[in-house]
Amino acid sequence: MKHILRNLALLLVPVLAYFCLFAAFEPNNYFGLHPNTDSDAPISRLKDFKRQPGNSIIIGDSRFAHFDMDLVEQTSGRPWQNLAFGGASLREGIDLLNWALDNNPDLEEVIFGFSFYTINQGYDTDRMSNLEKTLNNPFAYLFNLEYNVNMLTNLQNQLTGRVDAPETGDWVYPQDYTAADGTVYEVHTLLAEYPAALITKCENWSLNTSQLDRLYEAAARCAERGVKLTVVLAPMADIVKTEVCDVYGEGGTITEQMETTVLPQLAEQSAELGFSVLDYEWTDRPDFDDDTQFYDGFHLDERYGLPQWTEQLFTDLG
């Protein structure tokens, strides 16, 4: 029996060694072993909030995920915690808002990202239930293949000194304006080709009314709790409006449905429920230069566009 136990213990040594390596180099600071992390993965941001819940939070998709938080605090005069993550759907944003309300009784202020893209019936991802399970179960985190790949990638990056590049570009003509087939665009290629990537989700665009109703229910909950809620529509490049929103949609173009249905309803609900709306997508579109200030059709250049919008947004927020 002792021989069997000794052999089992020897077999466990490499497993335990791997788990120690995992805990040391996983990039999301799940176990709180590092003072901070710059990971924008949802598991990282939610775990950080659960450890130290902030009173002012940002919820949204990738357009809200990359703010310079020092600039945010400098402009607004108060610290914020960013819970936004890439690809977040309207459903996931609402689930996250309700989760934050449940986990922080002292929550005071929320920025909630909103867009024609996230209120599309055809874009309705649902990851919050799995995220919550992983938050509460370390073994689910340890044995998750994606997080193990993230750890190994982070370890490799640290060994090689590789740092992820920000979404910014000093575009050079003609190489950064020329497609693979030789077409030369008026704006850099990443931006010029971005609308085509949206068409599969947007060609049959229709309003996700059930999730909009849930948003208004969450807004009512914020009002009951005295939480200041601001719904923010992030800027989009002109090329997305003209080549996607003005062309596609079911029962009318996206532009028509946003201007005649969604925005009036949003204004009506905000007056009734007491939340604010800052609309940079349709009504108060910033005077940005698409080519130099947008990295692609949705994402502002992190050097030449995002800082300017950050200052505008958090100044308007008051």
Side-chain angles (χ1 to χ4, degrees), residues 242-254:
T242 57
E243 295 191 13
V244 178
C245 297
D246 292 349
V247 177
Y248 296 100
E250 191 172 281
T253 67
I254 297 169

Side-chain angles (χ1 to χ4, degrees), residues 92 94 107 197 212 219 245 281 285:
E92 290 170 334
I94 297 163
L107 190 64
L212 270 179
C245 297
E281 189 176 58
R285 293 168 57 77

Side-chain angles (χ1 to χ4, degrees), residues 63 167-171 176-177 187-192 194 233-241 280-281 284-309 312:
R63 286 165 282 188
E167 292 186 341
T168 185
D170 291 298
W171 311 111
D176 293 328
Y177 294 76
V187 294
H188 62 269
T189 305
L190 273 175
L191 176 57
Y194 195 78
L233 287 77
M236 62 176 166
D238 292 340
I239 195 173
V240 173
K241 182 180 184 301
Y280 305 97
E281 189 176 58
D284 298 309
R285 293 168 57 77
D287 186 22
F288 288 149
D289 179 83
D290 277 16
D291 185 42
T292 59
Q293 292 185 276
F294 276 91
Y295 186 74
D296 58 33
F298 275 159
H299 303 93
L300 288 161
D301 184 287
E302 290 184 22
R303 182 181 301 145
Y304 302 113
L306 186 58
Q308 290 75 13
W309 184 56
Q312 181 179 0

Side-chain angles (χ1 to χ4, degrees), residues 103-138:
N103 281 273
N104 184 7
D106 299 319
L107 190 64
E108 296 176 356
E109 189 171 12
V110 178
I111 285 176
F112 188 92
F114 188 94
S115 167
F116 82 85
Y117 192 78
T118 59
I119 62 172
N120 179 10
Q121 183 71 45
Y123 188 74
D124 194 22
T125 53
D126 182 6
R127 290 169 286 181
M128 272 301 294
S129 58
N130 284 334
L131 278 169
E132 289 188 65
K133 289 176 185 176
T134 306
L135 284 171
N136 298 319
N137 184 354

Side-chain angles (χ1 to χ4, degrees), residues 17-304:
Y18 178 79
F19 283 154
C20 289
L21 183 73
F22 180 91
F25 289 98
E26 58 88 17
N28 300 314
N29 200 25
Y30 181 94
F31 302 101
L33 300 178
H34 311 292
N36 54 58
T37 175
D38 59 359
S39 173
D40 58 8
I43 191 68
S44 175
R45 292 186 163 180
L46 270 61
K47 193 70 175 178
D48 185 53
F49 181 84
K50 199 161 187 182
R51 278 192 292 264
Q52 293 183 310
N55 294 340
S56 299
I57 63 172
I58 301 167
I59 293 174
D61 60 12
S62 56
R63 286 165 282 188
F64 294 82
H66 303 294
F67 287 122
D68 178 336
M69 299 310 292
D70 290 333
L71 179 59
V72 167
E73 182 172 353
Q74 176 187 326
T75 305
S76 66
R78 54 196 180 278
W80 289 77
Q81 202 163 2
N82 198 340
L83 304 185
F85 57 87
S89 65
L90 180 59
R91 178 192 297 273
E92 290 170 334
I94 297 163
D95 288 346
L96 182 49
L97 173 55
N98 283 318
W99 179 84
L101 288 165
D102 291 340
N103 281 273
N104 184 7
D106 299 319
L107 190 64
E108 296 176 356
E109 189 171 12
V110 178
I111 285 176
F112 188 92
F114 188 94
S115 167
F116 82 85
Y117 192 78
T118 59
I119 62 172
N120 179 10
Q121 183 71 45
Y123 188 74
D124 194 22
T125 53
D126 182 6
R127 290 169 286 181
M128 272 301 294
S129 58
N130 284 334
L131 278 169
E132 289 188 65
K133 289 176 185 176
T134 306
L135 284 171
N136 298 319
N137 184 354
F139 290 103
Y141 184 72
L142 281 168
F143 290 101
N144 183 287
L145 177 61
E146 177 185 352
Y147 298 131
N148 278 269
V149 171
N150 291 345
M151 182 279 291
L152 293 171
T153 302
N154 185 51
L155 176 59
Q156 182 182 31
N157 289 345
Q158 292 200 31
L159 291 174
T160 60
R162 181 179 180 273
V163 178
D164 290 336
E167 292 186 341
T168 185
D170 291 298
W171 311 111
V172 178
Y173 189 89
Q175 53 262 47
D176 293 328
Y177 294 76
T178 305
D181 64 1
T183 302
V184 179
Y185 299 118
E186 293 183 0
V187 294
H188 62 269
T189 305
L190 273 175
L191 176 57
E193 297 181 347
Y194 195 78
L198 302 178
I199 291 174
T200 54
K201 290 291 185 184
C202 294
E203 59 185 345
N204 297 314
W205 187 98
S206 62
L207 191 58
N208 193 337
T209 54
S210 62
Q211 293 306 315
L212 270 179
D213 289 341
R214 288 188 65 225
L215 174 60
Y216 300 139
E217 290 169 5
R221 188 181 177 197
C222 288
E224 291 170 5
R225 288 269 299 270
V227 176
K228 179 184 176 184
L229 174 66
T230 304
V231 173
V232 177
L233 287 77
M236 62 176 166
D238 292 340
I239 195 173
V240 173
K241 182 180 184 301
T242 57
E243 295 191 13
V244 178
C245 297
D246 292 349
V247 177
Y248 296 100
E250 191 172 281
T253 67
I254 297 169
T255 299
E256 290 168 349
Q257 294 183 67
M258 288 296 298
E259 292 179 346
T260 62
T261 302
V262 178
L263 296 180
Q265 183 190 94
L266 197 60
E268 180 182 332
Q269 291 291 333
S270 68
E272 181 177 333
L273 298 173
F275 64 89
S276 302
V277 178
L278 292 175
D279 176 16
Y280 305 97
E281 189 176 58
W282 300 94
T283 309
D284 298 309
R285 293 168 57 77
D287 186 22
F288 288 149
D289 179 83
D290 277 16
D291 185 42
T292 59
Q293 292 185 276
F294 276 91
Y295 186 74
D296 58 33
F298 275 159
H299 303 93
L300 288 161
D301 184 287
E302 290 184 22
R303 182 181 301 145
Y304 302 113

